[in-house]
Amino acid sequence: MAVALLLGVASTAIAQVHPTMSNAGTAQPMAAQSSQFTGGKIRTIPSAAIALKRAGSGPTPRITSHPVAPASSTADIGGVLQIPGVTGGSVPWSIIVMLTALTLIPSILVCMTPFARLLIVFHFLRQALGLQTTPSNQTLIGLSLILTFFLMQPVANQIYQDAFLPMQSGQISAIDALSRAEDPMRHFMAHYVREKDVALFVELAKEPRPASMNDVSMRVLLPAYILSELKAGFQIGTVLFLPFLIVDMVVASITTSVGMLQLPPVVISTPLKLLLFLMVDGWHLLISSLMRSFN
């Protein structure tokens, strides 16, 4: 009896010296057990059993867990292209075609309109006047764009009436609208393309000789048209350059003959060329001649 009492006192002292570490997340073996004196012997009882006994609970409840399906970050799209913030479920093909056409507008503008000819002529004019940055490139490009829109407005109106409106109303498909829009553009380009250039690209493409201009494919007509426009632009620019070249030659010969060798002729010729261009109303003459060349 005395030995058992001494063992109980010793176990209590050991428990005070080594406190439990359950608050820190680790359970010590001595803290997880409790001593009970019965029948002259010390029996160790787990603390969990003591808690169940005190609560008077029945059998230990069984905890069942049901598998939870992982939350999907995206809804079932069902094979349909979806963009966040866009209602309607899918992106219409018209938007994709429109965005693609916007990236091709610069190439279409250069290859299928008079834009290239107009811009070349304006650059020749600036060089002939001896002005490096006046008018600026933005000004010349803007003027060429406005004149291009003016010239292409009848063609664009015909394309709008014959191709765009029927496609918008659902009468024809986009492919049919494209083929209808091709006819006005073909008629416009065929009017200004040279037969020599068409024959060159027909030979390079190894296509049969067309009976008329309407039988020429767009593969041949497009490069032939841009080549014809480049030649026309350089022809007009060369003719425009000649009067100002004469002024430069006259001024250079006069300054050399009077012994003004240290004075650059361009210092005198540039104001004279500008004065000549303003006296004859050069912008009016140039724009009117360019517009009449497309009639």
Side-chain angles (χ1 to χ4, degrees):
M1 186 73 179
V3 174
L5 182 61
L6 289 175
L7 289 176
V9 172
S11 63
T12 305
I14 293 172
Q16 292 178 356
V17 174
H18 301 282
T20 180
M21 302 300 292
S22 59
N23 292 336
T26 59
Q28 299 294 333
M30 297 184 64
Q33 297 178 353
S34 176
S35 299
Q36 183 178 2
F37 177 78
T38 56
K41 296 181 181 180
I42 298 176
R43 186 177 62 175
T44 302
I45 302 175
S47 60
I50 295 175
L52 291 175
K53 186 175 180 180
R54 290 178 179 177
S57 61
T60 305
R62 180 178 298 177
I63 300 175
T64 59
S65 61
H66 298 282
V68 180
S72 177
S73 58
T74 57
D76 185 14
I77 59 177
V80 180
L81 180 61
Q82 293 182 348
I83 296 178
V86 178
T87 59
S90 64
V91 178
W93 278 104
S94 58
I95 297 179
I96 299 177
V97 173
M98 185 180 299
L99 293 177
T100 305
L102 287 176
T103 61
L104 298 177
I105 281 180
S107 299
I108 295 174
L109 185 65
V110 171
C111 297
M112 303 179 67
T113 63
F115 179 80
R117 183 195 300 192
L118 297 173
L119 190 60
I120 289 172
V121 171
F122 292 147
H123 276 285
F124 265 100
L125 174 64
R126 188 173 65 180
Q127 293 294 328
L129 290 174
L131 306 174
Q132 300 298 325
T133 58
T134 304
S136 62
N137 290 330
Q138 290 81 2
T139 303
L140 296 181
I141 293 174
L143 180 59
S144 301
L145 281 174
I146 293 174
L147 296 179
T148 301
F149 293 153
F150 178 81
L151 292 171
M152 297 300 296
Q153 193 273 335
V155 180
N157 187 29
Q158 186 177 356
I159 293 175
Y160 180 78
Q161 296 292 336
D162 297 343
F164 184 77
L165 287 181
M167 182 188 69
Q168 191 178 24
S169 61
Q171 300 177 5
I172 60 176
S173 62
I175 303 299
D176 296 334
L178 185 62
S179 62
R180 288 191 181 186
E182 182 181 332
D183 293 335
M185 292 302 304
R186 177 189 296 274
H187 180 73
F188 175 82
M189 291 188 293
H191 187 70
Y192 301 104
V193 72
R194 297 190 307 168
E195 295 183 1
K196 183 179 180 180
D197 298 330
V198 174
L200 171 63
F201 285 99
V202 167
E203 181 183 357
L204 293 177
K206 301 185 183 304
E207 294 184 358
R209 186 177 182 86
S212 63
M213 193 61 66
N214 294 327
D215 298 331
V216 179
S217 63
M218 293 297 291
R219 178 193 175 190
V220 172
L221 188 59
L222 282 175
Y225 174 77
I226 188 61
L227 185 60
S228 301
E229 287 296 295
L230 289 175
K231 184 178 185 300
F234 273 84
Q235 285 179 341
I236 298 174
T238 303
V239 174
L240 186 64
F241 212 101
L242 289 177
F244 302 104
L245 179 62
I246 294 174
V247 173
D248 288 332
M249 294 176 62
V250 171
V251 171
S253 61
I254 292 176
T255 54
T256 304
S257 61
V258 298
M260 301 173 62
L261 301 178
Q262 296 182 353
L263 180 64
V266 68
V267 177
I268 302 177
S269 62
T270 300
L272 292 178
K273 289 187 290 187
L274 288 174
L275 183 61
L276 176 63
F277 186 73
L278 294 176
M279 287 179 59
V280 299
D281 199 1
W283 283 113
H284 177 79
L285 291 177
L286 178 62
I287 299 301
S288 62
S289 301
L290 284 174
M291 293 296 103
R292 290 190 175 94
S293 67
F294 288 99
N295 287 335

